[in-house]
Amino acid sequence: MPMSPAELSDRFEIGEVLARYALAVDSGRWDLLDTVFTADATLDYSSSGGVTGSLEEAKAWLAKVLPAWPGRQHLIGATLIAFGDDRAEVTASFTDTLAPSRDAIEADSPGLIRGGGWYHHRMVRTAGGWRSREVVMEQLWRTMR
């Protein structure tokens, strides 16, 4: 069944939210996460050994932990979205690389981490557009040296 113009627009906007998430985490622009999540959001990074908590708790944890890897890149891939009454269940695959340097390094360098899995978002339509009220990171694999 063809998608309506409204659904196509919603899907595009949700894709932009996911892209802002990756940019915020990779660039260390933690306040950009305020345009990804609602103020009362819960973020669960426990599958990778991280924090589960509020947006502010998650931002503080990310700001403390991620600077150890100045070379960061998260790629958001296959995305499934189920809509209902100004809500959306979003499952998006990801791969990430955390590098101890932004310089060229050997693929087996100490401190290099690669991983992948799924982000499971519960999104809501707000006056400012789509935002995630909850995200659960499902880490499926991780390699590190």
Side-chain angles (χ1 to χ4, degrees), residues 37-115:
F37 296 98
T38 61
D40 63 346
T42 301
L43 292 78
D44 181 350
Y45 296 108
S46 61
S47 72
S48 64
V51 69
T52 297
S54 69
L55 175 57
E56 293 307 315
E57 291 167 327
K59 285 167 53 174
W61 177 76
L62 291 166
K64 178 182 176 185
V65 173
L66 288 183
W69 296 278
R72 299 189 294 270
Q73 187 172 35
H74 288 72
L75 301 175
I76 308 293
T79 304
L80 298 172
I81 304 171
F83 291 100
D85 296 331
D86 289 332
R87 299 186 184 284
E89 300 287 327
V90 179
T91 297
S93 66
F94 75 88
T95 58
D96 62 359
T97 300
L98 304 174
S101 172
R102 287 183 170 218
D103 297 326
I105 59 173
E106 296 292 326
D108 62 352
S109 294
L112 186 63
I113 300 174
R114 294 183 183 100

Side-chain angles (χ1 to χ4, degrees), residues 28-39:
R29 294 170 52 192
W30 311 121
D31 288 339
L32 188 57
L33 293 172
D34 296 340
T35 69
V36 173
F37 296 98
T38 61

